[in-house]
Amino acid sequence: AMTPAENSHTLNTSVTAPHESKNETEANVHAKELPFIYSEILRKGLSNYKNKKTMEAIEYFNEILDHFPKDINATFYKALCYFETENYFPASELLRKAMIHSDKIFYEEAKFKLALCYAGLDQPTEAKRILKEVVVEKGFYSDRAKEELEKLK
């Protein structure tokens, strides 16, 4: 025969196990829903960005970055929101981050916009250095970088 303490321990154990597996199941369902939620939040953020509602867009991008701090899409487009509103310092920080974590998707544009941020922050030496690199790399922004270099002379 079991003592009441042993009996209650046994009962607690048998109750806990199904409860834990229920939590694991809920976690798995939640994880499966995340890509849909992510894409919906990103879509709303991009829609606001395209409609020049930059502060609203930043809120959506922040929501993504709260869950996925290195997300390249949210980082890049949040940077563009700051850039478009001439908030060059936060834009430059995010663009640098986007360049580091980008697999060439956003790299060229991020680098070009970073140079423009430095120009906007009255740091022409740094702006010129980056613009010259963009020209040498002969990418999509090469011609525009040449034009911007002319303006800085």
Side-chain angles (χ1 to χ4, degrees):
M2 288 189 195
T3 66
E6 289 174 58
N7 193 18
S8 70
H9 176 71
T10 306
L11 287 174
N12 284 342
T13 304
S14 65
V15 170
T16 305
H19 181 68
E20 286 174 356
S21 64
K22 182 182 174 211
N23 284 343
E24 288 172 18
T25 305
E26 286 174 6
N28 290 338
V29 169
H30 182 65
K32 289 175 187 169
E33 290 173 359
L34 274 178
F36 173 75
I37 293 168
Y38 170 88
S39 63
E40 185 64 21
I41 293 169
L42 182 62
R43 187 189 63 71
K44 288 178 181 176
L46 292 173
S47 175
N48 278 291
Y49 168 72
K50 289 175 186 166
N51 292 312
K52 306 287 186 215
K53 296 178 181 176
T54 53
M55 296 317 291
E56 291 91 336
I58 286 171
E59 288 178 26
Y60 286 108
F61 300 137
N62 282 341
E63 192 173 337
I64 292 171
L65 292 168
D66 285 346
H67 295 282
F68 308 103
K70 292 182 180 178
D71 182 82
I72 189 67
N73 293 304
T75 300
F76 180 73
Y77 284 104
K78 181 179 176 183
L80 292 187
C81 288
Y82 282 124
F83 179 83
E84 299 294 332
T85 55
E86 298 181 4
N87 287 302
Y88 297 123
F89 185 75
S92 66
E93 290 186 331
L94 290 164
L95 288 167
R96 277 195 296 274
K97 201 182 284 188
M99 287 171 62
I100 292 167
H101 297 294
S102 177
D103 52 355
K104 289 288 184 190
I105 298 169
F106 299 120
Y107 182 84
E108 276 187 68
E109 186 174 358
K111 190 170 189 175
F112 177 69
K113 299 275 184 173
L114 179 61
L116 299 182
C117 283
Y118 283 122
L121 290 167
D122 201 26
Q123 296 179 26
T125 305
E126 191 62 13
K128 288 177 190 174
R129 182 187 68 76
I130 295 171
L131 288 168
K132 287 174 185 172
E133 288 177 13
V134 173
V135 170
V136 170
E137 290 166 3
K138 298 188 186 305
F140 182 80
Y141 290 92
S142 182
D143 289 340
R144 289 180 60 192
K146 287 178 193 171
E147 292 169 14
E148 292 298 327
L149 273 168
E150 288 299 316
K151 291 179 191 176
L152 289 174
K153 285 184 178 176

